Amino acid sequence: MEKNIQDLKVLIDSKKLSERIKELAQEINKSYGTERPLTLVCVLRGAVMFYTELAKHLKMPIKMEFVSLSSYGNSEKSSGKIKSFNLHLPNLKGENVLVVEDIIDTGLTLDFLIKFIEMNCCADDVKLAVLFDKKCARKYDITPDFSAFDVDDKFIVGFGLDYCELYRNLDYIGYFE
Ligand code: 5GP
């Protein structure tokens, strides 16, 4: 049955999201220091809101790169394979890279992307920051270096995360009951 926005319950409001992302940025600033440039890789399209909000609070010089990947299609469960991708990244030789993703679920997407960057882009160091960690769904051995919130096994929507490509613009995180 099709769902609509009236059935969406608030899980995390906009204020809590902003506060926690600011805190996470402080953790990242502390971990990397403020001198050396950091290349932030945004995983489109879900990470777009988290990425811009996080970047505003980072204190080191930032380079911005974008890739796009999808393992869900229009479903509420992972398809178990990467459905589409566009991985045009430059050579990142000697650079510190931080991949920024909306949510890690089975880990398939990020396992694939991080291995791709490590094998093809010659980065010095590749780390991972996620807005949500759905630990209970993990199938690949991958742990984020920075994570804002844990979430249990529900399908969440808003702040970049979609339901059938809709609702990415919401400034809060909701779920359908
Ligand atoms: P994984 O490859 O880790 O199984 O899935 C990661 C991708 O699945 C995320 O980038 C996101 O696009 C999608 N995803 C996983 N859980 C959710 C969820 O609760 N809500 C939405 N909207 N997308 C999700």
Side-chain angles (χ1 to χ4, degrees):
M1 197 175 68
E2 226 171 78
K3 294 169 176 156
N4 62 54
I5 197 158
Q6 285 83 5
D7 305 320
L8 206 55
K9 305 270 177 264
V10 178
L11 184 66
I12 303 175
D13 66 22
S14 144
K15 185 164 177 277
K16 204 162 164 203
L17 277 171
S18 313
E19 285 169 359
R20 181 65 190 121
I21 293 170
K22 198 169 173 186
E23 260 177 35
L24 195 73
Q26 282 157 2
E27 273 177 49
I28 295 171
N29 287 330
K30 214 167 158 190
S31 167
Y32 283 99
T34 54
E35 300 274 302
R36 197 170 160 195
L38 179 64
T39 301
L40 277 192
V41 176
C42 177
V43 187
L44 294 170
R45 294 185 284 270
V48 66
M49 306 279 256
F50 174 44
Y51 182 84
T52 52
E53 186 70 28
L54 185 72
K56 284 193 271 182
H57 300 293
L58 295 177
K59 303 288 184 212
M60 67 291 284
I62 294 292
K63 240 172 90 175
M64 293 186 160
E65 296 291 345
F66 299 85
V67 295
S68 104
L69 274 165
S70 161
S71 64
Y72 260 48
N74 275 347
S75 155
E76 288 179 33
K77 286 274 166 229
S78 173
S79 65
K81 43 185 190 258
I82 308 286
K83 288 202 149 174
S84 59
F85 54 86
N86 181 345
L87 299 174
H88 289 290
L89 284 169
N91 188 309
L92 301 170
K93 192 168 168 43
E95 297 182 22
N96 275 343
V97 172
L98 182 62
V99 173
V100 179
E101 173 64 307
D102 52 357
I103 184 163
I104 179 167
D105 183 56
T106 64
L108 168 73
T109 311
L110 289 163
D111 184 67
F112 174 85
L113 177 61
I114 288 172
K115 283 183 181 147
F116 176 90
I117 296 174
E118 284 171 348
M119 285 195 299
N120 297 284
C121 303
C122 311
D124 209 20
D125 179 67
V126 185
K127 289 196 166 55
L128 172 63
V130 297
L131 183 57
F132 290 100
D133 189 349
K134 213 185 257 186
K135 290 192 172 111
C136 54
R138 196 79 88 257
K139 292 189 180 151
Y140 291 76
D141 183 19
I142 173 165
T143 307
D145 300 281
F146 306 97
S147 162
F149 300 96
D150 284 343
V151 66
D152 56 19
D153 200 9
K154 44 167 74 81
F155 187 77
I156 56 173
V157 172
F159 206 72
L161 290 139
D162 73 309
Y163 168 67
C164 294
E165 291 304 329
L166 296 173
Y167 311 132
R168 292 191 197 272
N169 59 310
L170 301 178
D171 66 355
Y172 63 90
I173 294 288
Y175 66 100
F176 290 109
E177 267 191 332

